[in-house]
Amino acid sequence: MTGDRNDDGAYVGGATVTVTAADAESGVAKIEYALDSAGWTTYTAAVAVRAPGAHTVRYRATDTAGNTAAEQSTTFTVVADGSDRCPDSDTRATVIIDGGDTGVANMDTGDGCTINDLIDEHADYPGHAEFVRHVEAVTAALVTAGTLDRRQQGAIVRAAARSDVGA
């Protein structure tokens, strides 16, 4: 775990989780991690966690012989860094696109902006396809940051595709 910490030990603005494994006999085939309640994801690079709150990262490794190590975990807390890029934030409980509720929590992404703020359905888009591409890009970055999992991303992108935004 790396990142700036406050006096209480919480990570300010975000934390970066790095996982390594070694197997002297057959070698490591893969490392997997799970952030909070999300499912297992193959670990390919350090994971940035920016969403404020308490988090748990579980991790495990599998060697080339097919043996999976016992799951391990670490817990940590992220607090906002005090800057607020979106002072008039969309604070609805879930991500809503064009009236459609995705069921995905509309959480603060770590800088005072919620997921709905980043999607910005009321912005000027030249067309519907551009809006959907924008939503795909925003949610892909949130998956990489550990804010969303792929299932949540899919729910948001599907809602964007069903919407009339940009049409």
Side-chain angles (χ1 to χ4, degrees), residues 28-59:
V28 175
K30 69 178 175 179
I31 300 172
E32 297 173 295
Y33 74 96
L35 177 61
D36 298 327
S37 62
W40 290 106
T41 301
T42 300
Y43 178 85
T44 57
V47 178
V49 181
R50 301 202 190 314
H55 298 281
T56 300
V57 174
R58 297 176 293 130
Y59 50 95

Side-chain angles (χ1 to χ4, degrees), residues 119-146:
I119 289 172
D120 196 11
E121 69 180 311
H122 301 294
D124 228 359
Y125 296 97
H128 180 68
E130 288 80 8
F131 172 67
V132 174
R133 280 194 292 279
H134 166 73
V135 171
E136 288 172 334
V138 165
T139 57
L142 292 172
V143 167
T144 300

Side-chain angles (χ1 to χ4, degrees), residues 107-119:
M107 64 188 81
D108 187 304
T109 59
D111 58 2
C113 296
T114 64
I115 296 169
N116 271 340
D117 293 331
L118 299 179
I119 289 172

